[in-house]
């Protein structure tokens, strides 16, 4: 593939500016850069989803150089992409998603037996342990991500695969399965563009690395020639110290107490406490029930039994609005589906959960709305030319910051961050970690759920480990210092 002098412009934004590089057959190329560097835009241009303003992208297809005019044409040329956000039909089954638009037939009818049989082969290959008839919306977000990755293998003629943050929602065992798939494709001569903010993955799986910064090409190097520190410096333009080295504070009074939480199938008899100035981490494999506990706590999902106490007072949280009124802010793991309204502006999103604070007699004070949006977007460093910018036009990291700003608008004492740095570059991660430090310094309590063990181990004052819906271990600050990732994984794999 040849990318030659590619430029792409949006109103007020230069997404790509004169980018050029080549990709060889069977090469695994890492594409690195901060959020907003132009990586996602370049993918869309390769796939024909976005049209170039300048330059060209061509592929050698059976000796002929071709252009992908649209996504259908790209797939006909053997080009497939796994996007950062999960893009599958939620109301269809796994099998139906695998063969969407390409169902096997028997005469004039869909051959359901063959479709289920072939789907089961893919499910077994990727060790997913799910029913091919299961509806996508019934699966965890992590399993949905695995379905989108495994779907690529259904195709017979694969020339180029683009993986955008493929491990962001995966547990360690599934990451190894993904690596196996990448190596299998490489051996078949398939070229791969691999985008990840987890730099250790790039060192493990990639041959070469191309760095973009602010929409421009920086350099392409062999992975064997670089280390993580040099990559970070190329991406952000500065050296960075240990990003997990934030200040920790002595916990204060009890803010939150959860007792004997249970639902019908995801978790049972969960109890924990959170104190002022404390970061409480939750660890567990897919299906452990971490996110489900928090969704029940904030009224997003129903619980069967259990009590919640805020500052010692028992409260009844029936829905997310109740949670907000009681000072609990919840950043869900799927920001695009649950966290923000992509078609609305930054200003509207930030004020969305606190309209009563800027309204009188049912009318919104537009001056207050704009002032609060400016204040909170600056507090979390949203990179945008204007608060009138649509959220769908922002990078993933800046979308995440908008959702955090929306929560902070309510001035909550308790903040639940579920996978807060998924798909976010190292610079934006450090900004979010420093924000967590500021929040705990103000006496707020933070619950942190993360599938990325170095993150949750590096930031937490206490760690709670869950497996199959139950708590299997708890570690204090001093114990965390002596833990290894293997220790946590063993506790997270205990069968109940």
């Amino acid at each position: 593939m040849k990318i030659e002098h590619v430029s792409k412009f949006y109103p007020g934004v230069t997404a790509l500016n004169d980018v050029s590089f080549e990709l060889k057959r069977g090469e695994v190329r890492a594409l690195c850069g901060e959020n907003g560097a132009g990586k996602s835009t370049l993918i869309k241009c390769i796939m024909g989803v976005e049209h170039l303003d300048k330059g060209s992208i061509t592929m050698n297809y059976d000796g002929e150089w071709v252009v992908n005019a649209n996504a259908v044409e790209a797939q006909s040329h053997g080009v497939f992409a796994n996007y950062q956000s999960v893009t599958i039909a939620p109301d269809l089954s796994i099998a139906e998603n695998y063969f969407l638009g390409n169902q096997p037939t028997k005469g004039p009818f869909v051959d359901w037996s063959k479709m289920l049989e072939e789907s089961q082969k893919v499910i077994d290959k990727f060790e997913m342990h799910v029913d091919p008839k299961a509806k996508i919306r019934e699966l965890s977000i992590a399993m949905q991500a695995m379905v989108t990755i495994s779907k690529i293998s259904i195709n017979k003629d694969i020339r180029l695969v683009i993986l955008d943050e493929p491990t962001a929602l995966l547990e360690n065992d599934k990451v190894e399965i993904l690596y196996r798939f990448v190596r299998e494709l490489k051996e078949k001569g398939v070229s791969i563009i691999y985008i990840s903010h987890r730099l250790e993955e790039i060192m493990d799986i990639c041959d070469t690395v191309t760095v973009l910064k602010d929409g421009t090409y920086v350099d392409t190097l062999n992975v064997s020639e670089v280390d993580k520190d040099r990559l970070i410096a190329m991406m952000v333009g500065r050296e960075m110290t240990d990003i997990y080295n934030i200040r920790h504070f002595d916990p204060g009074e009890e803010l939150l107490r959860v007792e004997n939480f249970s639902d019908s199938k995801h978790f049972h008899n969960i109890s924990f406490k959170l104190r002022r100035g404390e970061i409480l981490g939750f660890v567990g494999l897919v299906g452990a029930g971490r996110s489900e506990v928090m969704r029940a706590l904030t009224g997003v999902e129903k619980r069967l039994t259990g009590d919640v106490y805020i500052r010692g007072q028992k409260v009844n949280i029936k829905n997310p609005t109740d949670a907000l009124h009681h000072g609990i802010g919840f950043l869900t793991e799927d920001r695009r589906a649950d966290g923000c309204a992509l078609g609305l502006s930054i200003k509207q999103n930030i004020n969305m959960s606190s309209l009563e604070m800027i309204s009188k007699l049912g009318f919104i004070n537009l001056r207050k709305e704009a002032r609060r949006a400016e204040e909170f977007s600056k507090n979390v460093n949203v990179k945008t030319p204007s608060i009138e910018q649509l959220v769908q036009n922002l990078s993933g990291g800046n979308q995440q910051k908008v959702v955090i700003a929306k929560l902070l608008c309510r001035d909550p004492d308790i903040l639940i961050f579920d996978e807060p740095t998924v798909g976010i570059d190292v610079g934006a991660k450090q900004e979010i970690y420093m924000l967590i430090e500021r929040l705990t310094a103000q006496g707020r309590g933070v619950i942190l759920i993360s599938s990325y063990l170095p993150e949750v181990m590096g930031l937490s004052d206490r760690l709670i480990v869950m497996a199959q819906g139950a708590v299997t271990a708890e570690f204090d600050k001093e114990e965390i210092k002596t833990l290894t990732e293997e220790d946590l994984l063993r506790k997270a794999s205990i069968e109940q």
Side-chain angles (χ1 to χ4, degrees):
M1 182 179 67
K2 293 181 181 178
I3 296 172
E4 299 176 292
H5 306 291
V6 165
S7 295
K8 179 66 184 177
F9 309 107
Y10 298 105
V13 177
T14 299
L16 294 169
N17 184 22
D18 196 30
V19 173
S20 299
F21 62 86
E22 294 185 11
L23 182 66
K24 298 177 182 177
R25 186 173 182 270
E27 180 182 359
V28 183
R29 172 72 60 88
L31 188 60
C32 289
E34 293 186 279
N35 290 108
K39 305 184 301 296
S40 295
T41 301
L42 183 58
I43 288 173
K44 292 174 184 176
C45 291
I46 293 171
M47 292 297 299
V49 175
E50 295 281 3
H51 296 290
L52 308 180
D53 292 313
K54 292 182 180 179
S56 65
I57 299 175
T58 53
M59 283 189 56
N60 190 336
Y61 185 72
D62 293 340
E64 179 183 355
W65 289 94
V66 297
V67 175
N68 298 324
N70 52 57
V72 173
E73 195 166 294
Q75 291 191 12
S76 73
H77 293 147
V79 183
F80 299 90
N82 173 71
Y83 296 100
Q84 183 176 331
S85 55
V86 176
T87 51
I88 44 181
D91 292 313
L92 298 182
S93 69
I94 295 173
E96 289 169 316
N97 270 275
Y98 278 161
F99 288 94
L100 192 61
N102 191 33
Q103 297 95 335
T105 56
K106 184 184 292 184
F109 303 104
V110 172
D111 190 341
W112 289 99
S113 295
K114 184 176 181 181
M115 193 161 79
L116 292 172
E117 180 183 339
E118 293 299 316
S119 296
Q120 189 64 57
K121 290 178 183 177
V122 176
I123 289 169
D124 292 342
K125 175 179 177 178
F126 285 83
E127 300 177 23
M128 293 161 61
H129 309 297
V130 289
D131 187 338
K133 297 178 183 177
K135 294 286 192 293
I136 295 298
R137 68 168 64 256
E138 296 171 357
L139 307 176
S140 68
I141 190 70
M143 190 57 70
Q144 290 180 29
M146 202 66 192
V147 170
T148 63
I149 292 168
S150 59
K151 180 180 177 181
I152 294 171
S153 69
I154 290 288
N155 303 284
K156 304 302 181 188
D157 183 26
I158 306 176
R159 310 295 180 94
L160 170 65
V161 170
I162 303 170
L163 298 171
D164 189 0
E165 294 292 345
T167 66
L169 296 168
L170 302 185
E171 305 294 346
N172 286 27
D173 60 331
K174 293 297 186 286
V175 171
E176 290 301 320
I177 294 169
L178 171 69
Y179 283 4
R180 188 174 68 204
F181 180 47
V182 169
R183 294 187 185 103
E184 175 188 312
L185 292 173
K186 177 181 168 67
E187 288 174 4
K188 293 178 179 178
V190 175
S191 303
I192 296 168
I193 294 177
Y194 192 96
I195 300 174
S196 177
H197 293 304
R198 297 179 179 180
L199 300 185
E200 63 272 20
E201 292 180 7
I202 290 169
M203 302 300 171
D204 287 345
I205 202 69
C206 298
D207 303 312
T208 53
V209 54
T210 291
V211 178
L212 300 181
K213 180 171 175 56
D214 299 328
T216 61
Y217 173 85
V218 177
D219 203 356
T220 296
L221 298 167
N222 292 322
V223 166
S224 58
E225 299 172 353
V226 296
D227 58 19
K228 288 194 287 186
D229 290 338
R230 184 177 177 188
L231 272 182
I232 291 169
M234 290 171 68
M235 286 191 292
V236 304
R238 65 186 188 278
E239 299 291 337
M240 296 188 71
T241 55
D242 179 11
I243 59 176
Y244 306 121
N245 187 26
I246 65 174
R247 289 182 301 159
H248 291 264
F249 305 94
D250 292 332
E253 67 176 355
E254 178 184 290
L255 272 177
L256 169 71
R257 185 165 81 252
V258 173
E259 293 184 348
N260 301 319
F261 249 40
S262 297
D263 77 346
S264 58
K265 59 180 179 179
H266 299 107
F267 56 89
H268 50 276
N269 295 328
I270 304 297
S271 299
F272 61 89
K273 297 177 182 179
L274 176 70
R275 298 166 70 184
R276 287 193 180 276
E278 183 180 38
I279 304 171
L280 174 61
F282 274 77
V283 174
L285 303 178
V286 171
R290 302 164 303 165
S291 298
E292 288 80 3
V293 169
M294 300 308 157
R295 293 172 74 85
L297 168 61
T298 53
V300 178
E301 306 286 353
K302 299 298 182 185
R303 67 180 187 271
L304 295 181
T305 62
D307 298 314
V308 180
Y309 297 83
I310 305 290
R311 289 177 289 277
Q313 299 295 314
K314 187 175 180 178
V315 298
N316 185 18
I317 297 175
K318 299 177 181 177
N319 51 57
T321 302
D322 285 346
L324 287 171
H325 287 153
H326 286 295
I328 303 176
F330 182 25
L331 179 77
T332 64
E333 64 179 327
D334 190 347
R335 61 176 172 260
R336 295 175 68 87
D338 301 330
C340 54
L342 297 173
L344 298 182
S345 67
I346 294 170
K347 177 179 69 178
Q348 291 168 306
N349 270 272
I350 287 178
N351 285 283
M352 189 179 296
S353 296
S354 51
L355 289 176
E356 74 273 18
M357 296 180 175
I358 56 172
S359 303
K360 189 173 183 180
L361 300 176
F363 293 95
I364 297 173
N365 185 319
L366 300 181
R367 189 173 297 174
K368 285 184 179 179
E369 181 187 37
R371 187 171 65 245
R372 281 163 60 87
E374 290 282 5
E375 175 189 349
F376 284 96
S377 64
K378 286 179 181 176
N379 282 351
V380 298
N381 195 26
V382 177
K383 295 175 182 176
T384 177
S386 166
I387 57 172
E388 301 295 341
Q389 180 73 267
L390 297 183
V391 170
Q392 66 190 16
N393 293 334
L394 300 177
S395 66
N398 284 305
Q399 289 178 2
Q400 189 78 309
K401 291 177 185 178
V402 168
V403 182
I404 293 173
K406 180 183 74 172
L407 296 181
L408 296 182
C409 250
R410 297 286 317 194
D411 194 28
D413 272 345
I414 300 162
L415 285 142
I416 303 170
F417 290 155
D418 192 351
E419 305 288 1
T421 61
V422 165
I424 291 180
D425 66 77
V426 66
K429 282 182 181 180
Q430 188 175 50
E431 291 176 358
I432 289 177
Y433 300 157
M434 296 305 294
L435 172 63
I436 290 175
E437 178 188 292
R438 293 201 303 272
L439 293 171
T440 51
Q442 295 164 5
R444 306 178 202 239
V446 174
I447 294 175
L448 173 65
I449 301 174
S450 177
S451 300
Y452 189 42
L453 296 183
E455 176 176 79
V456 74
M457 293 171 69
L459 297 176
S460 300
D461 296 308
R462 276 191 303 127
L463 268 178
I464 290 177
V465 185
M466 291 184 63
Q468 298 182 16
V471 172
T472 57
E474 183 171 340
F475 302 98
D476 62 25
K477 188 184 300 184
E478 292 305 313
E479 290 171 326
I480 293 171
K481 293 177 183 177
T482 66
L483 286 176
T484 66
E485 292 185 25
E486 290 73 19
D487 293 332
L488 283 183
L489 287 172
R490 276 195 292 273
K491 292 293 185 183
S493 302
I494 294 174
E495 293 190 7
Q496 299 301 305

